[in-house]
Amino acid sequence: MAAEMALVKPISKFSNTTPKFGTPRIGSYSKFSIIRMSTTTPTPPAAASTSAKPSKKGKTAIKETLLTPRFYTTDFDEMEMLFNTEINKNLNQDEFVALLQEFKTDYNQTHFVRNKEFKEAADKIDGPLRQIFVEFLERSCTAEFSGFLLYKELGRRLKKTNPVVAEIFSLMSRDEARHAGFLNKGLSDFNLALDLGFLTKARKYTFFKPKFIFYATYLSEKIGYWRYITIYRHLKQNPEYQCYPIFKYFENWCQDENRHGDFFSALMKAQPQFLNDWKAKLWARFFCLSVYVTMYLNDCQRTAFYEGIGLDTKEFDMHVIIETNRTTARIFPAVLDVENPEFKRKLDRMVEINEKLLAVGETDDIPLVKNLKRIPLVAALVSELLAAYLMPPIESGSVDLAEFEPQLVY
Amino acid sequence: MMLGMATLTLSSSTAIVAANTQPNNNGNKLLGTRNQTLHMPLLSPPSCNLFLPLNKNSTRPFTTAVASVDSDQLSSSDPPSKSEANKYYFLVANAKFMLDEEEHFQEQLFERQRLFGERNIEQDFWLVIEPKFLDKFPDITKRLRRPAVALVSTNGPWITFMKLRLDRVLTESFVAESLEEALASNPTNLEFEKPEKWVAPYPKYEFGWWKPFLPFAQKEVKS
């Protein structure tokens, strides 16, 4: 995967100690290149990167692919219409009011305080693991920061039409800013910092209509919760792998992610047209599949990170997928049958194909030959994806909306 | 500007927090008379803590931020109306769902308990195994597997939020004369079968994690 962050730059006052970073990226890491959306943005001279491969002209590039953490933007006017309390007089505000209380409570107001353990631990991490750690921090920081940008803007735009919803968005952007800031501080332990201002301007934004923002963001918050809590609980049980103290913060941290997901749940429940027809079911399955596959392929290219903290990458991912899917079944009208062993077999085949694709990119062939070699692989990947998508789904949904509710025994 | 937001140092923000909590605590001592329910205005500025500690000796559970109630009671010395003061909100489902399957639920309760401890707030939520008040709700009991477990709180919006989270639960509210009456339960033994296959890379939360959240009397019952 090519999260080639041109934006990681050495902090100048520490730059004497950065040569450790000169290690080239391990080969399997870069370029997931089926449908590559690369934006080549020249960076300011100051942002000379240690991690991106400099081109001949000395410029570095942000390469974005399908698997890069995304920056989202949406149709803010439509959002305003959806939650305008004047237009939607019967918009159920109870859940929003309850959520606002919960976000105002601010459970983690004093949680994200660093100590000297961080720097000490970072100094002990060396070799390939160090590079992988940096990448983990970069990607996590980018993801949190992208949430901050989106929520902040939504908070601003909805202020007039629905102050309650707007304030929740603002409070969520507070959480995301805190998380991104904490991760960026973590990068400073490795003598790096993400230039978030530059990131804001230089990154390509993916446009999603509001309903797709709801599906995608719901899933990314809930999957974030399951990833963090799984790592936390695993390391609590196996403290010998606790090589960097940031993981100790994950238990409280991921409760924020979980609450953010709940808010998107409430947003969707307030707009049942996004949940209750056959199109919604198809989209729900599509978003589940893309989020799960993206994570699986990403993580399988970074097994060193998960092994470094004592996890089996595929087992970890399957656990996260199964739990996220169970959670998602509380709101999405349909989810994938991820507990069917066939689903994992398909994911594993996708990993194999993706590895071959990556290998093609690593060869010295001219671009045309590379692309020709990719065609059958891309076709194979697409057919696996399609087959996974078409596996019989599981009907699901919130009991407040679902048709099966009357038969339910609690 | 956004960069500024995102890289906000935590040390400075916590300092602000500390500065703001202190006066609130003191201020509350004046308001926190026995049996008084404080209704905080929901839209208070973020620096103003939602939860204020109440006199430790109070016998009444402390009600926090009830959204639908007008906020002028905050400054009024009149006792709140009886029905509001004694109102309990609950959500209920079978014990296996509540205590064995939904592990994030455990995390939420401990998180809330931690927060209440940090801010010196009296507990206003409990887990009740086989609550007696269920007898008043035949429409609920006919759809409920037993033994059942209820999450009870005097904070209505919080129960609304927890319902949103847990989804597969039923909610209602009732009025009770005393905390003892509200949280009364029938002695019950809980047993959960071990999951057929446990694939998580960590152990399950231990059986009995819920004991700190049971009302006093029920803690003695061996589960």
Side-chain angles (χ1 to χ4, degrees):
Chain A
M1 139 86 233
E4 233 105 307
M5 303 270 189
L7 310 150
V8 178
K9 58 179 179 186
I11 298 171
S12 54
K13 61 176 172 177
F14 295 125
S15 57
N16 297 340
T17 57
T18 47
K20 279 181 205 162
F21 269 99
T23 47
R25 298 240 160 176
I26 32 174
S28 66
Y29 141 82
S30 76
K31 296 181 207 84
F32 171 81
S33 32
I34 329 173
I35 310 167
R36 182 175 225 158
M37 301 189 292
S38 58
T39 56
T40 308
T41 318
T43 59
S49 161
T50 46
S51 61
K53 294 167 192 163
S55 73
K56 278 174 191 163
K57 287 170 194 161
K59 285 179 184 171
T60 50
I62 307 170
K63 288 182 187 157
E64 297 193 33
T65 72
L66 276 183
L67 298 184
T68 320
R70 240 124 244 280
F71 276 31
Y72 294 111
T73 186
T74 190
D75 183 339
F76 293 103
D77 294 334
E78 190 190 333
M79 277 289 186
E80 277 178 326
M81 296 287 281
L82 286 173
F83 296 102
N84 189 324
T85 42
E86 306 254 299
I87 302 171
N88 309 285
K89 292 242 192 280
N90 50 1
L91 195 70
N92 179 2
Q93 285 276 99
D94 289 354
E95 287 185 334
F96 294 136
V97 169
L99 277 159
L100 180 56
Q101 177 190 290
E102 195 67 2
F103 281 108
K104 278 191 163 185
T105 301
D106 199 2
Y107 289 87
N108 288 330
Q109 200 171 45
T110 56
H111 176 60
F112 293 95
V113 180
R114 282 158 54 85
N115 56 40
K116 65 183 173 65
E117 280 177 45
F118 281 77
K119 181 71 183 154
E120 288 165 10
D123 288 342
K124 284 190 199 128
I125 302 172
D126 47 21
L129 191 60
R130 191 175 171 92
Q131 192 58 52
I132 289 159
F133 243 87
V134 167
E135 200 206 348
F136 165 77
L137 292 172
E138 280 170 29
R139 290 175 61 88
S140 308
C141 182
T142 309
E144 298 277 10
F145 187 66
S146 81
F148 161 75
L149 290 176
L150 178 70
Y151 300 161
K152 184 87 189 155
E153 184 62 13
L154 281 162
R156 204 178 64 80
R157 293 292 296 262
L158 298 176
K159 208 174 250 170
K160 281 207 188 82
T161 48
N162 192 327
V164 175
V165 168
E167 194 174 1
I168 297 172
F169 272 121
S170 300
L171 292 171
M172 295 203 320
S173 78
R174 166 204 69 193
D175 294 341
E176 302 286 30
R178 228 179 238 163
H179 299 164
F182 198 66
L183 286 157
N184 214 3
K185 284 264 165 70
L187 277 166
S188 75
D189 296 328
F190 296 84
N191 307 322
L192 293 163
L194 269 179
D195 184 343
L196 297 174
F198 177 69
L199 200 61
T200 310
K201 291 187 213 99
R203 271 310 265 284
K204 191 173 169 175
Y205 286 75
T206 306
F207 176 85
F208 271 154
K209 281 179 76 64
K211 86 166 169 178
F212 300 136
I213 286 280
F214 298 153
Y215 299 142
T217 324
Y218 173 85
L219 278 167
S220 82
E221 296 285 2
K222 290 292 183 185
I223 210 166
Y225 163 75
W226 280 110
R227 289 171 61 83
Y228 282 18
I229 196 68
T230 303
I231 292 175
Y232 174 83
R233 292 179 67 180
H234 156 74
L235 288 176
K236 196 161 190 228
Q237 189 65 19
N238 305 284
E240 68 274 21
Y241 291 106
Q242 185 79 259
C243 51
Y244 185 60
I246 204 160
F247 303 118
K248 292 183 194 162
Y249 292 72
F250 276 16
E251 187 185 32
N252 291 350
W253 183 328
C254 68
Q255 306 306 322
D256 288 342
E257 315 290 344
N258 214 346
R259 273 186 286 271
H260 294 179
D262 295 334
F263 174 54
F264 285 101
S265 218
L267 288 175
M268 287 186 273
K269 282 167 84 175
Q271 302 291 339
Q273 74 275 16
F274 295 156
L275 293 173
N276 60 12
D277 62 3
W278 60 272
K279 277 186 287 184
K281 287 183 182 178
L282 293 181
W283 281 117
R285 286 157 64 190
F286 172 80
F287 275 90
C288 284
L289 184 66
S290 34
V291 169
Y292 303 157
V293 169
T294 306
M295 180 180 79
Y296 204 77
L297 296 185
N298 261 328
D299 289 351
C300 284
Q301 289 170 58
R302 291 174 178 75
T303 51
F305 175 77
Y306 299 96
E307 285 161 12
I309 56 171
L311 283 165
D312 176 297
T313 311
K314 287 186 172 180
E315 278 175 19
F316 166 75
D317 271 31
M318 275 320 293
H319 171 67
V320 169
I321 288 172
I322 288 169
E323 292 296 348
T324 306
N325 205 57
R326 278 185 195 157
T327 306
T328 306
R330 304 273 161 84
I331 182 72
F332 281 23
V335 292
L336 304 172
D337 186 9
V338 298
E339 289 175 70
N340 181 340
E342 183 51 34
F343 186 77
K344 181 172 188 302
R345 283 196 285 273
K346 287 185 164 47
L347 286 178
D348 286 333
R349 285 199 290 270
M350 289 180 216
V351 171
E352 283 172 35
I353 300 165
N354 191 37
E355 279 165 359
K356 287 180 193 158
L357 270 169
L358 294 169
V360 170
E362 294 299 312
T363 59
D364 296 327
D365 294 329
I366 57 165
L368 177 69
V369 175
K370 279 188 188 178
N371 284 336
L372 287 174
K373 282 184 179 171
R374 280 181 186 134
I375 291 169
L377 294 170
V378 172
L381 192 56
V382 169
S383 95
E384 286 295 345
L385 280 167
L386 202 60
Y389 180 71
L390 294 174
M391 279 174 68
I394 297 169
E395 299 276 308
S396 58
S398 163
V399 293
D400 293 348
L401 304 169
E403 286 162 17
F404 57 75
E405 201 278 336
Q407 290 91 50
L408 210 64
V409 178
Y410 289 83
Chain B
M1 195 193 85
M2 283 181 174
L3 176 66
M5 283 297 294
T7 52
L8 247 182
T9 57
L10 290 154
S11 47
S12 67
S13 62
T14 47
I16 295 165
V17 170
N20 281 328
T21 10
Q22 234 22 64
N24 281 350
N25 290 351
N26 298 338
N28 179 52
K29 294 242 163 63
L30 305 170
L31 300 165
T33 51
R34 267 172 82 94
N35 293 345
Q36 177 164 12
T37 312
L38 290 178
H39 299 290
M40 288 293 296
L42 191 73
L43 296 170
S44 56
S47 59
C48 168
N49 270 321
L50 270 181
F51 299 105
L52 304 176
L54 193 68
N55 183 353
K56 277 280 175 196
N57 301 323
S58 165
T59 51
R60 278 281 314 134
F62 175 60
T63 307
T64 51
V66 178
S68 53
V69 178
D70 46 4
S71 57
D72 56 357
Q73 285 182 9
L74 183 66
S75 50
S76 148
S77 57
D78 298 334
S81 67
K82 207 172 183 184
S83 63
E84 276 305 319
N86 299 327
K87 194 156 187 188
Y88 295 84
Y89 302 82
F90 72 91
L91 57 82
V92 66
N94 66 82
K96 178 141 182 77
F97 177 85
M98 296 287 283
L99 305 180
D100 192 49
E101 291 173 357
E102 300 294 301
E103 293 209 294
H104 58 106
F105 180 51
Q106 186 261 37
E107 291 156 23
Q108 279 182 295
L109 295 191
F110 277 101
E111 180 190 47
R112 196 163 176 82
Q113 192 190 46
R114 163 187 64 82
L115 181 101
F116 278 35
E118 282 170 9
R119 298 189 187 167
N120 204 17
I121 304 163
E122 196 166 327
Q123 188 178 339
D124 68 358
F125 61 98
W126 302 268
L127 284 173
V128 188
I129 300 166
E130 277 297 311
K132 287 197 170 141
F133 65 72
L134 281 181
D135 298 343
K136 287 184 252 175
F137 299 97
D139 287 345
I140 286 182
T141 48
K142 72 182 179 200
R143 304 190 60 188
L144 201 56
R145 251 177 296 160
R146 314 301 277 260
V149 170
L151 174 66
V152 184
S153 177
T154 48
N155 185 334
W158 186 64
I159 292 293
T160 304
F161 166 72
M162 290 303 295
K163 155 72 181 150
L164 172 67
R165 163 66 62 84
L166 292 165
D167 195 67
R168 267 88 171 135
V169 293
L170 296 161
T171 54
E172 259 297 351
S173 64
F174 62 93
V175 173
E177 286 304 316
S178 68
L179 194 60
E180 287 70 29
E181 184 198 324
L183 305 178
S185 61
N186 299 311
T188 313
N189 275 328
L190 292 181
E191 256 177 72
F192 302 125
E193 278 175 30
K194 285 236 160 79
E196 277 175 42
K197 47 170 191 169
W198 182 255
V199 291
Y202 48 75
K204 236 179 132 55
Y205 290 129
E206 257 174 62
F207 184 91
W209 63 261
W210 49 86
K211 292 208 173 100
F213 305 102
L214 300 177
F216 182 74
Q218 216 174 356
K219 278 177 199 167
E220 306 305 317
V221 178
K222 279 261 187 297
S223 22

